[in-house]
Amino acid sequence: MSSPQTAEIRKTPLNATHRRLKARMVDFGGWDMPLEYTGILAEHEAVRTRAGLFDVSHMGEIEITGPEAEKLVQWVSCNNAAKLAIGQIHYSGLMTAQGTFVDDLLVHKISPTHFMLCVNASNQDADFAHIVANNKFDARVENSSPRYTQLAIQGPRSAEILQPLTHVDLSPIRYYHFAFGKVKGVECLIARTGYTGEDGFELYFDPAESEKMWDALMEAGKHHGMIPCGLGARNTLRLEAGMCLYGHEIDEKTTPWEAGLAWICKMEKAPFLGSDVLAKQKQDGLPRKLVGFEMLDKRIGRDGYPVSIGGHQVGAVTSGCPSPTLKKNIGMAYVPPASTAVGTDLQVNIRGQAAAARIIPLPFYKRPQ
């Protein structure tokens, strides 16, 4: 059995392409991934104003099939999969019996007896084991990650870049919906989703076609100013959009109520894993809530820095960085429920010094409609 120290680092099918493009590579959850190509600021700006192409093949795919596939999805996750139409996607939480997050995920309804879950890279094996352990239904669970490359084209020009490569009409595909069809001759699941706060598409297809697809998309995007983007820009983009990151805003100690994710927790479909604990916490009150903040000087409130109110430590920064779009330093943190009002003053402890910050609304950024 391998340990995290001895396990071989994983590589996506495009690893050689990233290295040929001189990407700065990092170990991300056991995967050798591009952090940046031309720079985080340039890549961030490209996605906000034009388009960027991300290799997100490290993400995991788990497929649930069979007569009671929906019942299994309903039991292990907190959103209501019974409300999904075929071809629709929703964001959800994979729950523990304590009402906390094993992971967050996207649930794709392919048919009444077939669901595809897109889960986080570092959690995919544990997620699969957790679902299998809780499978008391007439359903099959497959860790299908090896069968997919996943590319994300994100930004306001995404549709016009992708459309010439496919006969599938992209315009009717609404946000958080998907279709099947060929892109550059390759069979794909084409989902209108992303982790950037912009319009865009995520393509799932045979790993053998990875380089062909990457090159075709890059060529199609060249005249629109699309550039390859790494995990650095993906993080700054998702933080501006107020999206949670597993291991930061959410984890096995966090409930949806605390993380501001009540909208994905559908108690009317209970029972599901942890629903009894969630009902009690909702009734008894929360110990903490997630808020967004802006720094009031040029310092940056980084992940893990202590947060105080009135000189008393109340929590810590979960994510923090400069916002390239808003031209200020932003972050998210957990604070007591009584101290969540917009405009509340905070102090972030930066290397022993208290730096002033203020709670502001989430998300920090919304794309123009």
Side-chain angles (χ1 to χ4, degrees):
M1 177 179 275
S2 62
S3 69
Q5 288 74 34
T6 61
E8 184 178 348
I9 192 163
R10 300 183 186 185
K11 298 176 181 178
T12 76
L14 286 162
N15 189 269
T17 299
H18 303 316
R19 292 191 171 277
R20 176 170 49 81
L21 293 171
K22 303 271 192 294
R24 180 184 165 200
M25 306 295 285
V26 295
D27 180 345
F28 180 79
W31 288 81
D32 188 38
M33 295 294 294
L35 180 69
E36 57 184 323
Y37 299 83
T38 51
I40 292 172
L41 293 179
E43 293 164 29
H44 183 110
E45 189 264 344
V47 173
R48 285 280 181 257
T49 60
R50 305 182 307 278
L53 182 63
F54 298 81
D55 175 16
V56 286
S57 305
H58 61 314
M59 300 292 282
E61 290 80 31
I62 297 170
E63 294 187 59
I64 299 178
T65 55
E68 295 187 320
E70 183 181 287
K71 288 184 178 180
L72 176 54
V73 175
Q74 289 286 70
W75 174 246
V76 297
S77 64
C78 60
N79 209 333
N80 192 353
K83 297 284 190 180
L84 288 174
I86 294 171
Q88 188 178 8
I89 306 160
H90 70 201
Y91 177 59
S92 189
L94 185 64
M95 308 308 291
T96 71
Q98 291 72 46
T100 60
F101 289 92
V102 176
D103 204 357
D104 60 338
L105 70 164
L106 295 181
V107 178
H108 304 66
K109 185 174 182 178
I110 295 172
S111 80
T113 58
H114 188 181
F115 292 81
M116 187 185 83
L117 317 179
C118 179
V119 302
N120 281 300
S122 57
N123 293 356
Q124 56 190 276
D125 295 332
D127 291 354
F128 174 72
H130 179 75
I131 295 169
V132 168
N134 283 281
N135 184 11
K136 54 186 180 181
F137 305 97
D138 185 5
R140 295 176 297 279
V141 186
E142 179 194 1
N143 188 343
S144 53
S145 303
R147 293 199 283 109
Y148 294 104
T149 281
Q150 185 186 351
L151 297 183
I153 175 172
Q154 298 284 295
R157 296 186 185 173
S158 297
E160 57 187 305
I161 292 169
L162 184 58
Q163 187 61 80
L165 300 180
T166 180
H167 292 299
V168 176
D169 185 0
L170 301 177
S171 56
I173 303 176
R174 290 176 290 151
Y175 192 47
Y176 271 65
H177 287 73
F178 66 92
F180 288 99
K182 290 184 178 180
V183 177
K184 198 64 177 179
V186 177
E187 289 290 348
C188 291
L189 185 157
I190 306 167
R192 199 158 202 160
T193 49
Y195 194 47
T196 64
E198 295 299 334
D199 188 21
F201 298 86
E202 294 183 304
L203 309 177
Y204 300 80
F205 57 92
D206 184 345
E209 307 287 354
S210 299
E211 290 194 22
K212 171 185 174 179
M213 187 71 79
W214 176 275
D215 291 343
L217 288 166
M218 286 303 302
E219 180 62 27
K222 188 164 60 177
H223 301 299
H224 297 274
M226 185 173 80
I227 61 174
C229 299
L231 296 180
R234 194 165 182 252
N235 187 55
T236 56
L237 290 158
R238 72 91 194 167
L239 181 53
E240 285 186 347
M243 295 176 170
C244 292
L245 175 62
Y246 191 87
H248 290 251
E249 285 72 43
I250 53 177
D251 55 27
E252 287 202 359
K253 297 179 180 176
T254 311
T255 68
W257 311 138
E258 295 166 352
L261 294 173
W263 59 279
I264 69 166
C265 191
K266 303 300 169 56
M267 297 300 291
E268 67 272 15
K269 69 148 192 172
F272 57 89
L273 264 178
S275 59
D276 53 341
V277 179
L278 288 168
K280 188 172 189 309
Q281 188 184 64
K282 190 174 186 181
Q283 180 180 325
D284 294 348
L286 309 181
R288 57 181 188 155
K289 286 191 74 174
L290 188 69
V291 296
F293 67 85
E294 63 180 356
M295 300 300 297
L296 299 181
D297 61 23
K298 294 183 178 180
R299 288 177 285 183
I300 302 167
R302 300 281 188 189
D303 307 12
Y305 285 3
V307 171
S308 299
I309 296 177
H312 300 285
Q313 185 177 335
V314 295
V317 177
T318 57
S319 296
C321 70
S323 164
T325 305
L326 304 176
K327 303 293 189 288
K328 59 185 177 183
N329 299 326
I330 59 172
M332 292 194 281
Y334 280 100
V335 300
S339 302
T340 59
V342 169
T344 299
D345 290 327
L346 308 175
Q347 299 83 43
V348 179
N349 189 309
I350 301 176
R351 292 182 292 278
Q353 292 187 323
R358 179 184 299 134
I359 294 178
I360 60 175
L362 289 171
F364 304 103
Y365 165 86
K366 288 183 181 177
R367 74 174 181 260
Q369 295 301 314

